[in-house]
Amino acid sequence: MLGWQHGGAGLDHPALQPPTAMKAFCSRANPTTGAMEWEEEDEDYDYHQEIARSSYADMLHDKDRNEKYYSGIRAAVCRVKERGQKAIVLDIGTGTGLLSMMAAKAGADFCFAVEVFKPMADVAVKIIDKNGFSNKIKVINKHSTEVTVGPDGDMSCRANILVTELFDTELIGEGALPSYEHAHKYLVQEECEAVPHRATVYAQLVESERMWAWNKLLPIHVSLEGDSDKVIYPTKDMQLCAGSPCVYDIQLNQVNRNHFTALTMVTKMFSVDFSKAVSSSPAQHTVQVQATGSGQAHVLISWWDMEMDPEGSIRCTMAPYWAHPTPNNMQWRDHWMQCVYFLPQKLTVQEGEYLWISAIHDDYSLWYKMQRNSDECKAEVLSDRPLCSCQAHLMCNRQRFGELNDQQRNNAYIKALKTILRPDTVCMTVSDGSLLSIFAHLLGAAQVYSLEISAVSRRVMQKILAANELMGKMIISEKSPEQLTPVDLDNNQISVLIGEPFFTTSLLPWHNLYFWYARTYLAKHLSREFTVLPQSATLLAIAVEFEDLWRIRAPCRECEGFDVNLMDEMIQNSLNFHECHEAEPHPLWEYSCRALTDPCQMLTFDFRHEVPEQSISSSGSMQLLRSGTCHGIVLWMDYSLTNDITVTTGLAKFHSQTGYCEWNPHNKQGVYFLRLEALQGTSTNKQDSIGYSVTFHPKTGELTLDFQQSL
């Protein structure tokens, strides 16, 4: 994963530009150390891999987006021609060059296509040439703010049609406002045509205990012996914390309607007219709304739409199904989703009362505030951007908060701990920001040590201990397992070693195997008859047919009549499916799929023994039990806490007759997409199988994966 990123149709965002020398530092989780390491790639690094794993395929498959852009561009070119002018187009963030080719085909006299990312600009040149438009389109490999106009400039004249796709799920997060502001000042004519013409942001206030559990640590109940019950409380600063400034982008259509209740109607917050001068200065937009129901206001859900023409007759919307004009015919997309914004504090709302909701933005981000009277809204709130003051949001992402607040999951650990803890137990926990150490103390362990390698998690855990009057009842160490000495353990031997396992640096399910390495490093500190929880982990896999997720890696040979096959060739060559194909992390509860095989155990990792020196391998085949299109393989880990208590990071529910899958919402699963040819729609039947070969490499902590469909 690169230390800089890209998204949308182009990279026209100062913060997203690659280094000018075309070197990159790529961050990778190291399961053997539990650390996130940065590696400098050499000049031969294949940046096309990053394009291949980006959202370009998803956008090319977004038929609704492409059709609306094409219609808007044709209409804009027509309006300019009707005025007797030449149609000169500026396309900022051209990506594949698709929008510029649309303009050229629609009759534009010339197009300037700006793309800052050189590998993508090179691809655009080839695609444009292959489609026969190289004489009408000039690709400019610069950031748009560096483009010059004049006889010796990048553009011979200012454009009168501005075409962009600089939008993300939050609308403005890719730097759309500064880019538009600069373009109107220096690159386009006054009163130019713009496609899209305007964008509008909407919001709706909702009650949702499920979503609220993604944002804060809630009271955790620990059932003790008899009928007694102990509650672990979050600290006061956690309760008052405004939370993370990062928006939670989500496939809102996959959230069960039983998990939230609307408290207001859908409300138009503000619009941006892209055909006129745009300001990137901070701004606040306040709207009065009336509560349509009573309840606890937890979050504001938000989305946007864009109108491609001045009349608003060509409209592309990100609205979820209950607010969508055609809910039975919605375009699935992953490059634009919906947003969840958490209120700093939950507020009680009564049906019929009036509320004031403010949408506030700077040049790159958006946030919300809710007030009960208009006077409060007049106060300066631009300084009130949500920022974490408790540090817990630096340690926990949304999924981790949900995991910590999952009482059913906590009960499984508590039940397992009760079977192994004794009054003389010397216990050590190895996880990041885990409550297991507190569970162990409350359940009667004589001494509890907690290894918190992360400085942030260590500070957060110390504050939780203080809030629950547990300081001094357990020892939190900042040392890594290999650095630990007998003195750090008061010369005690560890009789019980426990972990969730969870580590903040983990990206894929098997990266949490760092717990196994930690157990190995700690071998000299373990008693002869020690117990480890979990005692083992199992890597499982299942072949699936995705309803929509397959589109992000599927070939798109032709898009709106244009040949974009070069993108597919680049993706296939760069990812090199034969040799170095990797799994990708995805939260599958947001992406519907149907299993074509039953779950298959790939590898088992026995934590009762040290990490072996030799590789662990498994090979075989998974029989396809249901017909369909096999898009990929889902992988996850199950942890055996004891002989009869297991927790899963993958399948929460599975119906063997239909292949119905319900996925654990607190974890990302690994997805291994099959070769691109398989994503074109090749159907399978029950006589087919998926051959697999999986190898765990102890020296690196990584897995080598290979899956092949056998017909």
Side-chain angles (χ1 to χ4, degrees):
M1 183 171 64
L2 281 178
W4 47 271
Q5 55 183 321
H6 49 76
L11 286 160
D12 209 70
H13 181 318
L16 302 186
Q17 295 181 67
T20 56
M22 292 311 295
K23 285 189 177 182
F25 286 90
C26 296
S27 61
R28 295 184 176 89
N30 186 336
T32 69
T33 64
M36 185 67 73
E37 298 178 349
W38 292 87
E39 298 179 9
E40 182 179 354
E41 299 293 350
D42 60 28
E43 60 185 10
D44 296 323
Y45 179 75
D46 185 6
Y47 287 91
H48 294 80
Q49 285 196 39
E50 308 307 323
I51 300 174
R53 293 188 175 96
S54 70
S55 298
Y56 283 103
D58 180 23
M59 289 186 289
L60 292 174
H61 281 283
D62 190 341
K63 188 172 179 61
D64 178 64
R65 162 195 178 272
N66 298 335
E67 288 180 345
K68 300 295 174 55
Y69 260 103
Y70 206 175
S71 296
I73 289 170
R74 285 197 297 262
V77 171
C78 183
R79 290 193 297 272
V80 170
K81 294 285 189 179
E82 287 176 350
R83 296 197 292 264
Q85 300 175 355
K86 286 187 175 182
I88 308 299
V89 175
L90 171 62
D91 174 11
I92 300 178
T94 194
T96 61
L98 178 63
L99 301 185
S100 287
M101 292 191 296
M102 288 179 176
K105 191 171 182 179
D109 293 278
F110 201 79
C111 303
F112 298 101
V114 180
E115 176 56 54
V116 67
F117 188 40
K118 189 177 188 306
M120 194 68 246
D122 293 342
V123 172
V125 169
K126 294 177 182 178
I127 292 177
I128 289 168
D129 182 64
K130 189 173 183 179
N131 283 272
F133 293 109
S134 56
N135 62 328
K136 297 186 71 173
I137 301 173
K138 177 184 179 182
V139 177
I140 303 171
N141 179 209
K142 286 185 177 181
H143 189 277
S144 65
T145 58
E146 298 173 344
V147 172
T148 58
V149 178
D152 299 321
D154 302 302
M155 297 172 59
S156 56
C157 62
R158 289 191 177 220
N160 53 14
I161 300 177
L162 177 57
V163 177
T164 67
E165 207 280 55
L166 298 171
F167 314 112
D168 65 352
T169 291
E170 204 175 17
L171 181 66
I172 64 173
E174 284 191 7
L177 296 181
S179 295
Y180 272 109
E181 185 176 45
H182 178 271
H184 276 285
K185 286 182 179 179
Y186 302 107
L187 304 179
V188 298
Q189 301 173 16
E190 290 187 14
E191 302 300 324
C192 71
E193 300 288 341
V195 182
H197 182 82
R198 73 175 62 85
T200 303
V201 174
Y202 301 87
Q204 187 173 28
L205 186 68
V206 304
E207 175 185 66
S208 176
E209 293 288 349
R210 175 66 65 92
M211 295 186 197
W212 192 242
W214 297 339
N215 185 48
K216 292 179 183 287
L217 183 64
L218 305 178
I220 307 296
H221 293 260
V222 181
S223 176
L224 304 178
E225 294 300 328
D227 296 328
S228 59
D229 196 26
K230 180 70 175 178
V231 181
I232 303 172
Y233 292 100
T235 64
K236 284 188 177 180
D237 64 343
M238 290 180 187
Q239 298 177 48
L240 298 175
C241 182
S244 170
C246 300
V247 65
Y248 192 6
D249 53 343
I250 188 173
Q251 290 284 358
L252 204 54
N253 290 317
Q254 296 302 315
V255 177
N256 192 312
R257 282 303 302 266
N258 294 328
H259 292 160
F260 69 96
T261 302
L263 298 178
T264 66
M265 300 294 288
V266 175
T267 303
K268 176 181 174 180
M269 295 306 302
F270 67 92
S271 293
V272 181
D273 187 336
F274 297 123
S275 69
K276 299 177 181 178
V278 172
S279 173
S280 63
S281 299
Q284 174 182 332
H285 309 272
T286 301
V287 178
Q288 185 187 54
V289 298
Q290 187 174 23
T292 57
S294 300
Q296 296 291 315
H298 292 118
V299 302
L300 280 147
I301 53 179
S302 181
W303 60 89
W304 51 269
D305 65 25
M306 54 187 177
E307 296 167 345
M308 300 296 184
D309 60 331
E311 297 76 26
S313 60
I314 308 170
R315 182 167 172 257
C316 184
T317 181
M318 308 310 123
Y321 64 88
W322 65 87
H324 202 280
T326 57
N328 296 322
N329 185 29
M330 294 176 59
Q331 172 71 53
W332 182 88
R333 50 175 65 97
D334 204 49
H335 58 104
W336 296 329
M337 292 185 276
Q338 295 81 38
C339 303
V340 171
Y341 295 91
F342 299 94
L343 294 175
Q345 300 297 318
K346 62 182 178 181
L347 299 172
T348 301
V349 172
Q350 299 297 327
E351 182 178 356
E353 77 168 304
Y354 286 94
L355 307 166
W356 279 261
I357 298 175
S358 296
I360 309 141
H361 69 79
D362 54 22
D363 47 354
Y364 289 110
S365 58
L366 177 69
W367 64 96
Y368 284 89
K369 193 168 186 177
M370 190 180 80
Q371 307 289 352
R372 279 202 155 85
N373 63 71
S374 58
D375 291 336
E376 293 177 351
C377 294
K378 295 176 182 178
E380 178 64 42
V381 296
L382 294 181
S383 61
D384 293 341
R385 178 182 178 181
L387 292 174
C388 175
S389 58
C390 71
Q391 296 191 313
H393 297 87
L394 305 180
M395 178 183 75
C396 300
N397 58 19
R398 312 298 190 194
Q399 292 158 327
R400 180 57 174 166
F401 275 120
E403 191 170 50
L404 290 173
N405 290 321
D406 187 337
Q407 191 65 54
Q408 184 176 352
R409 177 181 179 275
N410 289 333
N411 289 342
Y413 280 95
I414 293 167
K415 182 180 178 181
L417 286 170
K418 286 180 177 179
T419 67
I420 63 173
L421 295 179
R422 301 289 182 266
D424 61 348
T425 294
V426 176
C427 179
M428 172 171 283
T429 64
V430 183
S431 286
D432 285 347
S434 175
L435 300 177
L436 295 188
S437 57
I438 300 179
F439 293 172
H441 169 75
L442 295 177
L443 293 172
Q447 180 63 63
V448 178
Y449 299 92
S450 176
L451 289 189
E452 296 288 348
I453 301 171
S454 163
V456 172
S457 65
R458 185 169 60 254
R459 288 193 293 267
V460 170
M461 290 304 299
Q462 287 172 336
K463 290 197 293 184
I464 292 175
L465 294 181
N468 290 273
E469 300 180 349
L470 294 173
M471 287 295 288
K473 303 292 180 66
M474 60 193 72
I475 298 174
I476 297 179
S477 174
E478 62 185 48
K479 291 187 175 181
S480 62
E482 58 268 38
Q483 295 173 330
L484 213 62
T485 67
V487 175
D488 298 315
L489 299 174
D490 307 308
N491 293 311
N492 288 319
Q493 290 287 102
I494 301 167
S495 55
V496 173
L497 178 65
I498 59 178
E500 297 195 41
F502 169 82
F503 302 98
T504 56
T505 56
S506 298
L507 301 176
L508 289 161
W510 44 92
H511 289 166
N512 284 320
L513 285 175
Y514 171 64
F515 177 74
W516 198 11
Y517 289 89
R519 173 258 180 269
T520 303
Y521 299 141
L522 292 167
K524 61 184 178 182
H525 301 294
L526 300 176
S527 65
R528 182 171 297 180
E529 300 297 331
F530 78 95
T531 302
V532 61
L533 182 155
Q535 60 186 20
S536 65
T538 301
L539 176 70
L540 294 101
I542 197 168
V544 301
E545 177 182 50
F546 285 112
E547 184 174 328
D548 294 298
L549 186 61
W550 61 273
R551 301 175 193 274
I552 70 173
R553 295 291 172 265
C556 186
R557 313 294 188 198
E558 180 269 340
C559 184
E560 296 303 312
F562 300 99
D563 184 349
V564 292
N565 187 51
L566 279 171
M567 278 294 293
D568 294 327
E569 293 177 7
M570 179 192 65
I571 289 173
Q572 185 160 3
N573 292 337
S574 296
L575 289 182
N576 196 353
F577 281 82
H578 291 294
E579 297 178 6
C580 62
H581 189 48
E582 300 175 352
E584 306 171 11
H586 291 281
L588 290 188
W589 73 269
E590 294 185 51
Y591 304 100
S592 298
C593 65
R594 183 175 65 94
L596 301 182
T597 68
D598 283 347
C600 177
Q601 293 188 5
M602 300 274 119
L603 296 173
T604 296
F605 310 95
D606 192 340
F607 300 152
R608 292 168 294 188
H609 303 283
E610 296 181 23
V611 176
E613 294 184 2
Q614 301 300 318
S615 298
I616 307 172
S617 299
S618 174
S619 61
S621 63
M622 296 185 289
Q623 188 65 40
L624 290 162
L625 304 176
R626 289 162 285 275
S627 298
T629 301
C630 187
H631 294 128
I633 312 298
V634 179
L635 301 107
W636 70 95
M637 301 285 278
D638 279 0
Y639 293 99
S640 297
L641 305 185
T642 63
N643 289 334
D644 56 356
I645 302 176
T646 300
V647 294
T648 184
T649 65
L651 272 180
K653 291 182 181 179
F654 175 66
H655 193 281
S656 59
Q657 295 298 316
T658 63
Y660 168 80
C661 298
E662 184 175 318
W663 297 97
N664 184 315
H666 310 317
N667 302 100
K668 289 185 179 181
Q669 292 73 40
V671 179
Y672 179 107
F673 289 100
L674 294 179
R675 292 183 61 189
L676 294 180
E677 291 89 338
L679 300 180
Q680 291 180 284
T682 304
S683 295
T684 61
N685 56 57
K686 296 181 181 180
Q687 284 71 49
D688 299 337
S689 63
I690 301 292
Y692 66 84
S693 175
V694 180
T695 301
F696 173 70
H697 304 279
K699 289 185 178 180
T700 63
E702 291 293 351
L703 291 180
T704 299
L705 304 168
D706 185 37
F707 294 90
Q708 300 288 339
Q709 183 173 337
S710 302
L711 303 178

